[in-house]
Amino acid sequence: MKLYLVIPCYNEEAVLPETAKRLREKYDALMSEGKISADSRIVFVNDGSKDKTWEMIEDLHRADPVFRGICLSRNKGHQNALMAGLMTVKDECDAAISMDADLQDDINAIDAMVDKYAEGYEVVYGVRSSRKKDTFFKRTTAQGFYKVMKSMGVETVYNHADYRLMSARALHALSEFDEVNLFLRGIVPLVGFKSAEVTYERGERFAGESKYPLKKMISFATEGITSMSVKPIRMIAALGLLVFLVSIGVLIYSVIRKFTGYTVEGWAFLAVSIWALGGVQLLAIGVIGEYIGKIYLETKHRPKYIISEYLRDD
Ligand code: UDP
Ligand code: MG
């Protein structure tokens, strides 16, 4: 079987040499066991890095044809870089595994993924059995995120990030999803096909810093929710209804007050109501705006990424 690894890299010069070395060793082992064919490849996608990442990928490719490089014309974010890699290799391989450059996701799980593929599974999800090595902050925010996604009705695999194997057939099906607002973790389950899970322990990033600071994590989470679910809009509609019902109650209350006595001291209540309603309305408009923004971007049909170079041996 011809296996391709797709690895998005953004400013990863600190980890790249070590990552390449470990993956080469893994590939040697898999090849000598006959699990993958000799023409399997490791493809690094340079997501507009500002450091020496691309030069390093070029060197790796020159020294060893097992390594390939795809260079995006600018930084487009993890999800788009991943998509660029997967879509570029989908016609060349039997299956592709996507993983991060920092090897936080145990590369020994590749064996089990390949076995599952051989058993006939077309999508194999890598699932983290524990996140002990993650910081407390990362762990709680990430797990909270999976729970929120679930409550929003988005089908995701719990504790699965973007470490997964997809067959060429599944990749072709994925290419039919023509959306600009890309949230792969939510889309892959929609692709369907026979799927399996492989568990592993998530390790530490061995060098360099996380490329997902809090700001990116929040935008990734809102992206995930608003591109996969319309529940927030419905929740706001429900909130609107509730507020309306409350206002009827207030109306009845104020009529009673009117006929039972002096009411000028109620100004505080009025002032609070105006502010509360104004707040709810702004919130509602904001959420609706988020979706309209998405529609706007989708109708433009802009390319998700532009490849400036593809280093390949043949
Ligand atoms: N990444 C990318 N483009 C970006 C940000 C990140 O291609 O704009 C890549 C990064 O190089 C890494 C992967 O996405 O291979 C995951 O990033 P990281 O390990 O920093 O995230 P974390 O493990 O902290 O969630
Ligand atoms: Mg990482």
Side-chain angles (χ1 to χ4, degrees):
M1 152 215 194
K2 198 167 162 184
L3 176 72
Y4 274 40
L5 285 185
V6 173
I7 304 160
C9 306
Y10 177 59
N11 296 345
E12 295 288 11
E13 61 180 10
V15 299
L16 213 52
E18 180 65 20
T19 296
K21 189 173 139 262
R22 289 195 206 171
L23 288 175
R24 175 77 252 204
E25 282 163 15
K26 185 86 224 162
Y27 256 42
D28 284 340
L30 286 166
M31 282 174 188
S32 63
E33 282 170 48
K35 280 192 175 175
I36 64 173
S37 61
D39 53 359
S40 296
R41 293 288 174 266
I42 298 167
V43 185
F44 293 108
V45 183
N46 173 37
D47 184 18
S49 300
K50 294 179 182 70
D51 61 3
K52 293 255 177 303
T53 299
W54 180 242
E55 284 80 354
M56 283 179 160
I57 294 171
E58 284 179 316
D59 289 343
L60 284 167
H61 172 71
R62 256 193 299 274
D64 186 347
V66 81
F67 296 112
R68 285 189 178 180
I70 295 172
C71 189
L72 301 191
S73 59
R74 53 156 295 159
N75 181 256
K76 294 297 280 176
H78 180 205
Q79 299 289 293
N80 288 313
L82 206 54
M83 196 66 174
L86 293 174
M87 292 303 109
T88 306
V89 305
K90 71 177 189 302
D91 299 309
E92 304 176 45
C93 61
D94 293 325
I97 294 180
S98 49
M99 63 189 309
D100 291 352
D102 55 10
L103 302 190
Q104 279 187 288
D105 300 313
D106 184 9
I107 59 170
N108 294 315
I110 294 176
D111 298 73
M113 287 187 177
V114 170
D115 290 343
K116 289 281 178 202
Y117 173 81
E119 285 168 32
Y121 292 97
E122 308 232 18
V123 180
V124 186
Y125 299 102
V127 175
R128 295 161 183 173
S129 61
S130 85
R131 309 180 66 119
K132 277 187 241 113
K133 301 256 173 63
D134 270 341
T135 60
F136 173 77
F137 177 74
K138 180 96 191 177
R139 188 167 63 234
T140 39
T141 49
Q143 288 181 338
F145 168 67
Y146 291 107
K147 296 210 173 99
V148 171
M149 291 299 286
K150 188 149 186 230
S151 72
M152 291 288 163
V154 184
E155 198 189 320
T156 49
V157 178
Y158 188 67
N159 262 342
H160 158 72
D162 285 306
Y163 187 26
R164 76 178 84 79
L165 176 145
M166 290 180 81
S167 68
R169 198 152 74 110
L171 288 174
H172 278 101
L174 179 66
S175 71
E176 303 282 321
F177 286 74
D178 199 21
E179 46 202 277
V180 176
N181 299 294
L182 207 54
F183 185 70
L184 285 168
R185 269 163 239 192
I187 298 172
V188 174
L190 298 177
V191 170
F193 293 120
K194 225 172 119 185
S195 70
E197 289 179 11
V198 163
T199 53
Y200 63 90
E201 251 186 67
R202 177 161 161 99
E204 269 166 90
R205 182 179 252 279
F206 62 83
E209 281 172 8
S210 172
K211 307 296 179 289
Y212 266 103
L214 183 63
K215 208 174 127 215
K216 264 197 193 173
M217 266 163 65
I218 292 172
S219 88
F220 182 66
T222 33
E223 181 77 0
I225 291 165
T226 56
S227 69
M228 297 303 294
S229 165
V230 290
K231 239 185 180 168
I233 291 186
R234 300 217 179 103
M235 278 160 58
I236 276 176
L239 187 66
L241 188 68
L242 191 76
V243 170
F244 178 69
L245 292 178
V246 170
S247 75
I248 290 178
V250 172
L251 185 75
I252 293 168
Y253 172 75
S254 54
V255 168
I256 293 170
R257 286 294 299 245
K258 169 95 183 147
F259 289 107
T260 54
Y262 190 66
T263 53
V264 164
E265 83 269 19
W267 71 271
F269 179 74
L270 270 179
V272 170
S273 314
I274 290 165
W275 282 91
L277 278 176
V280 168
Q281 280 169 359
L282 282 179
L283 178 73
I285 291 169
V287 170
I288 292 166
E290 184 68 29
Y291 284 93
I292 292 177
K294 288 236 142 57
I295 296 168
Y296 174 66
L297 288 175
E298 294 290 351
T299 53
K300 280 185 192 292
H301 280 290
R302 282 186 181 159
K304 287 189 271 288
Y305 51 81
I306 293 166
I307 292 172
S308 67
E309 246 172 291
Y310 182 20
L311 296 180
R312 45 183 294 176
D313 37 307
D314 41 7

